[in-house]
Amino acid sequence: MGPIDPQTVQVELERRVGRDLFMHLETTTGSYTLLGPEKRPPVIAFVRNAPIHPERGSITGPGPYRVGLKLPGGWVYAEGLTDFEVSVRDELLLAGHDAEGNLTIALQLSTQPFRE
Amino acid sequence: MNRVELVTKPIDHLTEGLDEFVPANERHLLVVLPHPDDESFAAGGTMARCADANVPVTFLCGTYGDMGRRMGSPFFATRESMRDVRVSELREACRVLGATPRWLGLRDRTVEFEDPHDVAARIRDHLDELSPSTVITFFPGHAVHPDHDALGHATHLAVRTWAGGRPNLLAVAVGDRADIRAKLGPPHVYCDVRSVVERKLGALAAHRSQTEMMFQRWERGDEDDEQTRTFREEMLVLERYYRLPLD
Ligand SMILES: [Zn+2]
């Protein structure tokens, strides 16, 4: 995984538009925020292997980047994406990392279900 | 950090009134915690001490830690490679500690949404097979992460309903020390880990994706606060447990 090249990601998104896809979407603060100096409660959400069929998909912004996927009956939106990889299983992995390398957000698309 | 000073430092002021864990009295140590790395932080020294006393040690790991947010520093893991990364990290940590890893195969962050009786039944299968003299888990409700609380609860349930014996059930509480003391009182049992501190550190370092950042901070000496420093200093000399009642 390395820094997002928006042109390459746009091509990878378009290659998947109009197909039946499985999506992993996640944001996370980590579970230990209450122990941190600001004592904030954790805020975490993930959806794994949601079936979607996007009809349009774009990456925007100067970086960190945003991705929007237009669905027949709704939207997928992710902001704060910094890094990407196309895995050996041809999964498009988009992620945001903070300055320390911690994952903050992930948006992943694959024609095959993600593991489990 | 002056490691030698830590190792020779007396621990009497930390162990007053606590029973000492004696590895030589054990038959088999079973550690049941949800994430790869929990074992090294919570009980790595106790595991290494048991291995030194030729007591078999098994770590039954609840999940593959595949929803972790630490990806290495700088990051090298992805959400999809995380499981394989953490499985091999745990294998190496267990090799350092002299323990055998096993897996319950649950999904990271979802343990509390499983039926605790199902999870307990699966833990009981391992109790049947291993017949441990001591079981270590997290203190249910006092372990910060929902997976910690849920697996602590299921393990407590499993041991309480196990027909095969009455092992000691030792629980690790996580979080602000003063807060824990106020709610639970002092712990009951301690294990002196000064003789195995290098292996505890080695096992922690084996969990590279999760601990690299912590070690970098230690080396820079810029820990955020007094509490973190105390946690680190105490973690390298002893491990403390609460006994969970079985009735
Ligand atoms: Zn954990």
Side-chain angles (χ1 to χ4, degrees), chain A residues 24 26 28-32 35 44 46 48 83 85 93 97-98 100-103 108 114-116, chain B residues 66-67 69-73 75 78-80 83-84 107 109-110 144-145 148 175-176 213 217:
Chain A
H24 174 98
E26 167 184 3
T28 179
T29 57
S31 295
Y32 298 96
L35 299 181
I44 304 172
F46 71 84
R48 191 159 176 84
D83 298 278
E85 176 182 307
L93 310 181
H97 294 97
D98 66 17
E100 293 187 300
N102 294 316
L103 186 86
Q108 306 181 160
F114 292 100
R115 202 149 58 154
E116 176 221 9
Chain B
D66 33 16
M67 291 301 289
R69 111 187 214 277
R70 295 231 155 102
M71 298 296 183
S73 181
F75 66 85
T78 70
R79 174 56 71 241
E80 297 313 306
R83 177 184 299 198
D84 293 341
R107 175 114 202 147
R109 287 202 199 285
T110 66
V144 179
H145 193 300
H148 295 179
D176 178 76
M213 193 188 304
R217 279 205 190 123

Side-chain angles (χ1 to χ4, degrees), chain A residues 32, chain B residues 34-38 86 138 145 147-148:
Chain A
Y32 298 96
Chain B
H35 308 123
D37 82 356
D38 288 339
R86 295 195 72 177
F138 279 123
H145 193 300
D147 285 341
H148 295 179

